[in-house]
Amino acid sequence: AQKITQTQPGMFVQEKEAVTLDCTYDTSDPSYGLFWYKQPSSGEMIFLIYQGSYDQQNATEGRYSLNFQKARKSANLVISASQLGDSAMYFCAMRGHNTNAGKSTFGDGTTLTVKP
Amino acid sequence: GAVVSQHPSRVICKSGTSVKIECRSLDFQATTMFWYRQFPKQSLMLMATSNEGSKATYEQGVEKDKFLINHASLTLSTLTVTSAHPEDSSFYICSARGRQEAGGTDTQYFGPGTRLTVL
């Protein structure tokens, strides 16, 4: 079985500062992918970043980086230089390559509020 | 980037009517499409998984006769909420899984969602 845990229901950050959103996961699949999505108030799920379980380096996409610690089974999202437009709900997700019929498992989400 | 469109974005209907929601992958062929339901401030709840040309696989507790899914092509899937009732009011999101380009990451992309209100 796959499980994603996001322990922070809500987070606040000052504009221009960095923030880390926590995500831990559990899976028996040796090969898997980890994803982060942003969902603003409009409702659309926006893909942010991907990390493969065998990737040697942490993924980065612009101001987003993924702090992947495989031994700890954590995949935290780091947003640098926060902007007001970053205020949204953020979901961590994973997909096992060999299990769960290719379906993704989502965490409960973290609501991020960026303060001016 | 990869784009998934969903139509309509918002629908209000009377109880007992049926509502069809369309989901299209615009610039890639989706190997699989997913339909989710989301309540306010909650995570996505997977309703069903569909592959082109085959019957959808429904998650436990989801009524297949209530939520009809048709996956007509590699770029189009539809969800029909039959005989809708107020408890079906929710935010429905489709997702298409595929690669933007050959050799690219197999990623799940989401549509903008459909907010259904049943009176």
Side-chain angles (χ1 to χ4, degrees):
Chain A
Q2 296 177 169
K3 186 177 180 182
I4 292 282
T5 303
Q6 293 181 254
T7 57
Q8 307 154 315
M11 287 283 286
F12 290 89
V13 64
Q14 206 66 38
E15 191 178 9
K16 298 181 184 177
E17 291 185 351
V19 62
T20 298
L21 306 184
D22 294 342
C23 172
T24 58
Y25 60 91
D26 193 20
T27 180
S28 56
D29 201 322
S31 178
Y32 50 88
L34 295 155
F35 303 80
W36 276 92
Y37 292 88
K38 172 185 178 181
Q39 188 179 40
S41 57
S42 62
E44 182 175 6
M45 292 280 284
I46 302 167
F47 166 68
L48 296 178
I49 196 167
Y50 165 82
Q51 178 84 44
S53 59
Y54 289 113
D55 291 345
Q56 295 296 312
Q57 292 186 326
N58 286 345
T60 60
E61 287 287 348
R63 293 187 298 111
Y64 304 108
S65 60
L66 203 151
N67 184 1
F68 180 46
Q69 297 188 43
K70 194 170 182 177
R72 294 185 178 183
K73 292 190 174 180
S74 74
N76 299 340
L77 176 71
V78 180
I79 305 174
S80 62
S82 298
Q83 301 172 357
L84 296 178
D86 294 333
S87 293
M89 198 156 185
Y90 289 80
F91 291 96
C92 178
M94 75 170 295
R95 186 174 75 237
H97 295 156
N98 302 307
T99 57
N100 210 27
K103 295 180 286 189
S104 295
T105 301
F106 288 83
D108 289 337
T110 296
T111 299
L112 175 67
T113 303
V114 180
K115 294 181 174 181
Chain B
V3 177
V4 176
S5 71
Q6 194 172 334
H7 178 80
S9 58
R10 185 180 296 267
V11 59
I12 302 172
C13 68
K14 291 182 179 179
S15 185
T17 60
S18 293
V19 175
K20 180 185 279 190
I21 304 170
E22 283 192 357
C23 177
R24 293 179 185 271
S25 60
L26 296 183
D27 57 359
F28 69 101
Q29 292 186 327
T31 54
T32 307
M33 284 187 170
F34 305 88
W35 287 95
Y36 294 86
R37 184 173 180 176
Q38 187 182 30
F39 293 102
K41 302 295 184 182
Q42 293 189 22
S43 188
L44 282 70
M45 182 186 81
L46 180 64
M47 299 174 66
T49 304
S50 75
N51 294 292
E52 183 259 344
S54 62
K55 289 184 179 179
T57 303
Y58 289 81
E59 295 299 301
Q60 193 171 10
V62 178
E63 300 175 59
K64 59 181 69 177
D65 294 331
K66 172 77 172 175
F67 299 99
L68 298 178
I69 292 172
N70 182 271
H71 197 151
S73 72
L74 282 171
T75 59
L76 173 64
S77 176
T78 60
L79 167 68
T80 301
V81 183
T82 62
S83 187
H85 290 284
E87 58 265 29
D88 299 324
S89 298
S90 190
F91 190 60
Y92 293 88
I93 310 176
C94 76
S95 175
R97 179 183 159 187
R99 302 177 193 273
Q100 285 183 265
E101 56 197 21
T105 302
D106 184 1
T107 301
Q108 222 175 306
Y109 298 96
F110 288 82
T114 297
R115 195 164 301 280
L116 171 64
T117 304
V118 185
L119 303 175

